[in-house]
Amino acid sequence: MRLSRRILLASSAAGAAIAVPAAGWAQPNTNTLDTDPFTLGVASGDPEPDGVVLWTRLAVDPLAEDGMGGMPNGAFDVKWEVARDERFRHRVAHGEVQTAPEIGYSVHIEVEGLRAGHEYYYRFKTGKWTSPVGRTVTAPPRNAMPEELRMAFASCSQYEHGYFTAYRHMAESRPDLVLHLGDYQYEYKAKVYNSPDGNVRDHEGPETVSLATYRQRHAQYKADPDLQLAHAAAPWLVVWDDHETENNWADEFPEAGSDTPNPADFLARRAAAFQAYWENMPLRRTSVPAGIDMQLYRRVRWGRLANFHMMDTRQYRDDQACGDGTQSNCADAWDESRTITGEAQEEWLIDGFHASRARWDILGQQVFFTQRDNTAAADVLRTSMDGWDGYAASRQRLIDGWVEAGVRNPVVLTGDVHTHWAGEIKTGFPGLDGESVGVELVATSITSGGNGVDSVPEDNAALKINPHIKFRNAQRGYVETVITPEEMNVDFKVVPQVTVQDAPVYTRRSYTIADRERALHQTYDRPVDVATMSTNTNPFANSDELADDYLN
């Protein structure tokens, strides 16, 4: 279903609201809902100095097979309000919009007229029902230099592989901003993608290939209470990776062995996945999809402290080189004409580097960025074709762009590989004998791959082969940062088990990145958790890329 670009706007004393396509809707439904429709929680995202996106989606039965959440057919009126306090005694904005089946009963409110750098609370109402309360934060004024920004980032939450306890711990830390870097949900039907520790719950429905099945899958994830807490705790910046559509897809190419190998069928699947993604995320009207196209890369500024360049490394990339997977000495990976970003996004990024006056320029993206060799064999370079190693010239153009622009502190944030990593981005590919020109921080998975295992990072073969990489850990969790004008403090957070509920969280290792140094300084390391090592059953967890290629 292609969503019309004609959008109705509704205004209030301080706010603007995206509502619905202007024509072709079902008639308003005046029936009273007997069941709470706010089963999927609330969310906010893409903060600006004067406002933020607010989101919810009505569903009385989230797992309904038609993807409509059990809602009666028809349009529904939804009220929204924003206040300075949790009890809504000091309301600053409010309004009313309609939602309908054409957009999966989702609601996207672009609130304007708020004060920069302030905390707010929001909620929705329809009929006699009121949603949970969400907390959000507006960005600081454009020219302000905030004292600090508390930012967390995460990726890869496979519902079947474990409980989303890490999301709850993230919410409890009350960050100012959360980045989700992809694989928010997975496409497989139940018991196809099995954790080495055993799946603790099942996906509902078949493999996602249609709008109905993508809507159902998103609803199943959104119904998780820990994920709801994380969304309600802070505004999110979201970008997809592959599993929001299909594993390892590349532009108009499905993966080998796809459930939709026919090109026309895959493009229909892609359009359905994009539509469901927009319906279920706190995204602005600029990201409303048009068929198989969706504008997802964008830039969010946090005063003069940080620029967040949110990237899309799936929609515009060339097909993976040398048949995908991990390959040795793949000449096509170095082809100057190949791109992982597409020409327009690459130009947008480099233009943004030249225009930046921020203390920190942060790239929120999906796949491993710095070179990562998987063999110690001489004269052999064995790398993953799905990451930036499969698009080496594209990576070099980006690095050259930020170096030439004089970017003060470039930091790349990454997901995808189900392991924590920290490394320094070096010049001199493939020898890596040049200076450090940036830092890459990689978040492990929330659950994907099961419990994982703790180990002594320095004993890992990958770190011995790649001395520019300083840290690796195969447990589950996320990354917390505190960004100031002087430094970025980084905590790699770990949940030792995801197959049991209410597992604790702890910091496995910490680093500081000092202003202008573009290097990692270790500040804390927790001893190996021997109990976790002895109980883990993951056969791949401490091997090298066999683990990552199999599990991501």
Side-chain angles (χ1 to χ4, degrees):
M1 183 183 299
R2 181 167 176 167
L3 185 66
S4 169
R5 286 195 176 275
R6 292 170 57 201
I7 302 295
L8 287 178
L9 299 180
S11 64
S12 72
I18 290 183
V20 298
W25 272 38
Q27 293 299 309
N29 191 307
T30 58
N31 295 331
T32 300
L33 292 171
D34 295 327
T35 305
D36 185 0
F38 293 111
T39 57
L40 307 183
V42 300
S44 67
D46 282 20
E48 294 288 338
D50 68 340
V52 68
V53 179
L54 307 180
W55 173 94
T56 194
R57 179 182 164 204
L58 306 184
V60 296
D61 178 11
L63 299 184
E65 291 183 0
D66 64 358
M68 289 301 181
M71 293 292 293
N73 187 46
F76 283 82
D77 294 329
V78 180
K79 296 178 180 179
W80 59 273
E81 55 185 340
V82 179
R84 294 198 300 268
D85 64 300
E86 293 182 80
R87 296 185 179 182
F88 290 81
R89 291 173 297 188
H90 303 285
R91 192 171 68 169
V92 297
H94 64 97
E96 183 171 346
V97 297
Q98 272 193 349
T99 187
E102 285 80 356
I103 53 173
Y105 296 103
S106 63
V107 177
H108 296 73
I109 309 297
E110 293 186 19
V111 184
E112 299 173 348
L114 302 181
R115 294 181 62 186
H118 276 66
E119 178 182 73
Y120 290 97
Y121 297 88
Y122 62 95
R123 64 186 177 187
F124 300 87
K125 296 181 180 180
T126 187
K128 65 181 180 180
W129 302 102
T130 301
S131 75
V133 174
R135 169 187 174 266
T136 194
V137 178
T138 54
R142 297 284 189 196
N143 293 322
M145 179 60 80
E147 293 182 3
E148 69 172 33
L149 164 64
R150 303 184 65 85
M151 181 272 292
F153 67 97
S155 71
C156 302
S157 46
Q158 215 285 12
Y159 182 89
E160 299 175 294
H161 288 187
Y163 299 103
F164 291 165
T165 313
Y167 279 139
R168 174 155 44 88
H169 290 303
M170 183 190 299
E172 290 168 350
S173 72
R174 292 179 68 85
D176 301 312
L177 187 67
V178 173
L179 273 60
H180 199 286
L181 302 178
D183 294 345
Y184 181 93
Q185 60 99 46
Y186 283 71
E187 74 274 27
Y188 306 110
K189 65 181 180 182
K191 298 179 174 64
V192 167
Y193 182 16
N194 296 313
S195 162
D197 296 301
N199 292 358
V200 299
R201 46 190 183 176
D202 289 333
H203 278 153
E204 191 77 17
E207 175 148 347
T208 55
V209 298
S210 66
L211 182 55
T213 53
Y214 280 111
R215 282 171 168 168
Q216 180 192 40
R217 186 61 50 80
H218 274 285
Q220 184 174 21
Y221 278 61
K222 277 290 200 307
D224 183 275
D226 293 332
L227 177 54
Q228 287 190 19
L229 285 175
H231 270 300
W236 283 38
L237 303 180
V238 299
V239 284
W240 56 41
D241 190 21
D242 51 349
H243 289 290
E244 289 87 351
T245 300
E246 178 186 50
N247 181 55
N248 278 26
W249 69 279
D251 194 5
E252 298 186 6
F253 298 96
E255 73 165 332
S258 170
D259 277 24
T260 49
N262 180 279
D265 291 341
F266 175 71
L267 293 183
R269 178 182 189 171
R270 170 173 153 168
F274 286 15
Q275 174 70 21
Y277 187 82
W278 181 80
E279 289 174 356
N280 285 279
M281 295 294 169
L283 290 165
R284 293 184 179 275
R285 73 193 77 180
T286 51
S287 292
V288 173
I292 66 167
D293 299 316
M294 181 171 170
Q295 178 68 47
L296 193 60
Y297 67 83
R298 62 207 188 280
R299 190 172 289 115
V300 172
R301 299 176 181 174
W302 206 264
R304 292 187 294 113
L305 181 64
N307 283 338
F308 291 92
H309 310 266
M310 304 303 294
M311 297 171 59
D312 179 351
T313 63
R314 287 290 166 189
Q315 188 174 180
Y316 313 105
R317 67 160 66 191
D318 289 306
D319 200 7
Q320 289 91 345
C322 296
D324 205 356
T326 301
Q327 304 293 340
S328 298
N329 295 341
C330 175
D332 286 347
W334 297 84
D335 186 334
E336 292 282 343
S337 67
R338 286 172 47 77
T339 176
I340 194 172
T341 62
E343 183 178 353
Q345 184 177 190
E346 183 178 298
E347 291 180 357
W348 171 83
L349 281 163
I350 293 175
D351 288 346
F353 296 152
H354 282 276
S356 176
R357 299 296 180 267
R359 189 65 53 93
W360 302 87
D361 277 271
I362 298 170
L363 280 64
Q365 59 94 49
Q366 295 75 39
V367 291
F368 213 96
F369 187 85
T370 193
Q371 183 175 296
R372 184 176 46 156
D373 194 354
N374 294 297
T375 178
D379 302 320
V380 177
L381 183 63
R382 184 166 176 79
T383 55
S384 170
M385 295 299 101
D386 191 54
W388 288 81
D389 277 327
Y391 305 82
S394 186
R395 172 177 58 198
Q396 192 61 55
R397 288 193 296 271
L398 212 60
I399 293 172
D400 290 344
W402 80 51
V403 170
E404 291 168 4
V407 170
R408 183 164 173 159
N409 293 297
V411 178
V412 178
L413 306 184
T414 302
D416 182 59
V417 293
H418 306 177
T419 36
H420 279 319
W421 299 81
E424 295 170 356
I425 301 167
K426 300 283 189 177
T427 59
F429 299 114
L432 300 170
D433 53 359
E435 64 176 328
S436 178
V437 293
V439 170
E440 181 176 20
L441 306 172
V442 183
T444 187
S445 64
I446 292 290
T447 56
S448 302
N451 291 326
V453 66
D454 200 1
S455 61
V456 178
E458 289 72 21
D459 289 346
N460 186 265
L463 270 63
K464 295 176 181 178
I465 296 168
N466 300 278
H468 60 292
I469 300 177
K470 309 299 182 183
F471 177 59
R472 178 189 186 274
N473 176 269
Q475 294 172 284
R476 306 297 154 235
Y478 56 97
V479 181
E480 284 185 354
T481 69
V482 178
I483 305 170
T484 73
E486 293 77 30
E487 61 189 15
M488 178 185 292
N489 294 304
V490 182
D491 291 334
F492 287 91
K493 310 297 284 191
V494 162
V495 175
Q497 288 185 301
V498 295
T499 53
V500 298
Q501 293 180 301
D502 301 322
V505 67
Y506 61 83
T507 299
R508 181 60 182 82
R509 182 172 285 188
S510 300
Y511 288 93
T512 292
I513 308 165
D515 178 33
R516 296 187 184 274
E517 290 195 10
R518 302 175 181 177
L520 292 161
H521 301 280
Q522 182 180 322
T523 57
Y524 173 78
D525 185 63
R526 177 183 169 120
V528 172
D529 189 334
V530 176
T532 301
M533 291 181 65
S534 64
T535 59
N536 187 271
T537 59
N538 184 343
F540 303 105
N542 203 35
S543 63
D544 296 323
E545 292 322 295
L546 283 178
D548 295 331
D549 287 346
Y550 176 76
L551 294 176
N552 67 19

